[in-house]
Amino acid sequence: MAEDLDELLDEVESKFCSPDPLRLDMVERPRGGGGGGVLSNDRNRAEAKENLRSTEAFKKEDDLDSLINEIFEEPNFDKKHFKLKSKSSGNTSVRASIRGLGKSCSPVYLGGSAVPCGIGTNTSQRAFSLTRACDRLRCVACDFWVVSYDDHRWDRSCDYLFFRNNMPEFHKLKTKLVKKKGTRAYACQCSWRTIEDLTDLQTDHQLRWVCGKH
């Protein structure tokens, strides 16, 4: 690009800035013996170069403006469409995440340590291998999460005040836990149970526990 520009400048100089061969004597040796003719020639060459550079700059600017206008005048360039599409895809991913975190047990089961924990389903009781005891229990009475301890039962001396004052700190609760294989000890701040067999939570009407969603 630089070489092409130099060649173009040389061509302009040869056509417009070079002295007339017939008047070379007059340009090089003007009357009065001064150097004004040579200085005038150099000035003309400098002006010609400056004009050429300005012309090239304006041409590039015009080309850039034309390109920008073509892009925005393109009929398929719809900025609103792209914004709506992006917003829609974002909402879809959010809804998918909410659905993934919002599964509940139906019905809600309690179970001994032999019963694995997970999401309980209507088919669980018919196939023991599919049985799941809920491990996301929450009490709607005291608003505490229910804790559970495998292979332990609650001591018979447990009372309401013990859980009221010590939940959910294990180092305090363990003073009333007794080891017993196959059982699972459940407790919130206001209720407690020791469970050994698969139990539907709906059969215990005193408990205010619900599945807190998995």
Side-chain angles (χ1 to χ4, degrees):
M1 182 66 182
E3 293 178 359
D4 294 340
L5 183 58
D6 289 339
E7 291 177 3
L8 185 58
L9 288 172
D10 291 338
E11 184 178 348
V12 171
E13 290 172 5
S14 64
K15 289 183 179 180
F16 301 103
C17 300
S18 297
D20 189 344
L22 297 177
R23 302 180 63 188
L24 186 59
D25 258 357
M26 295 178 63
V27 173
E28 292 180 351
R29 288 185 293 277
R31 284 181 295 174
V38 176
L39 292 175
S40 177
N41 187 31
D42 291 341
R43 190 182 304 112
N44 290 339
R45 293 179 64 182
E47 289 177 357
K49 288 183 179 181
E50 186 65 28
N51 290 337
L52 186 58
R53 290 192 183 97
S54 299
T55 302
E56 289 291 327
F58 282 124
K59 184 178 179 181
K60 290 179 181 178
E61 186 175 352
D62 290 341
D63 291 342
L64 182 59
D65 290 340
S66 299
L67 182 60
I68 293 174
N69 290 334
E70 288 178 6
I71 292 173
F72 281 96
E73 289 173 2
E74 189 71 26
N76 293 329
F77 190 83
D78 189 349
K79 292 183 285 185
K80 184 177 180 181
H81 170 73
F82 287 111
K83 288 182 179 179
L84 290 176
K85 184 177 181 180
S86 176
K87 184 177 180 181
S88 176
S89 60
N91 288 341
T92 301
S93 62
V94 170
R95 286 196 296 269
S97 300
I98 292 174
R99 285 197 297 268
L101 295 174
K103 294 182 179 180
S104 299
C105 296
S106 179
V108 181
Y109 290 112
L110 306 178
S113 60
V115 181
C117 295
I119 302 175
T121 64
N122 288 324
T123 60
S124 298
Q125 204 168 14
R126 293 196 296 270
F128 186 79
S129 60
L130 299 177
T131 302
R132 295 290 183 271
C134 181
D135 56 352
R136 294 282 296 171
L137 295 168
R138 191 175 187 90
C139 181
V140 298
C142 63
D143 199 29
F144 266 66
W145 288 100
V146 177
V147 298
S148 63
Y149 304 102
D150 286 357
D151 295 321
H152 285 82
R153 66 173 179 82
W154 293 115
D155 187 82
R156 291 185 178 86
S157 62
C158 289
D159 56 17
Y160 171 79
L161 288 177
F162 170 76
F163 292 101
R164 176 75 179 180
N165 296 330
N166 298 317
M167 276 290 294
E169 299 177 24
F170 175 71
H171 70 280
K172 294 180 179 180
L173 294 174
K174 69 180 182 180
T175 60
K176 296 288 186 179
L177 283 170
V178 180
K179 288 185 178 181
K180 183 178 181 181
K181 188 174 180 61
T183 61
R184 181 176 287 149
Y186 292 87
C188 63
Q189 196 183 37
C190 62
S191 301
W192 64 100
R193 292 289 186 275
T194 297
I195 304 296
E196 188 169 4
D197 300 320
L198 183 67
T199 304
D200 189 337
L201 185 59
Q202 292 182 348
T203 61
D204 192 331
H205 300 293
Q206 293 181 349
L207 290 177
R208 302 290 302 280
W209 297 347
V210 297
C211 176
K213 294 186 178 181
H214 296 260

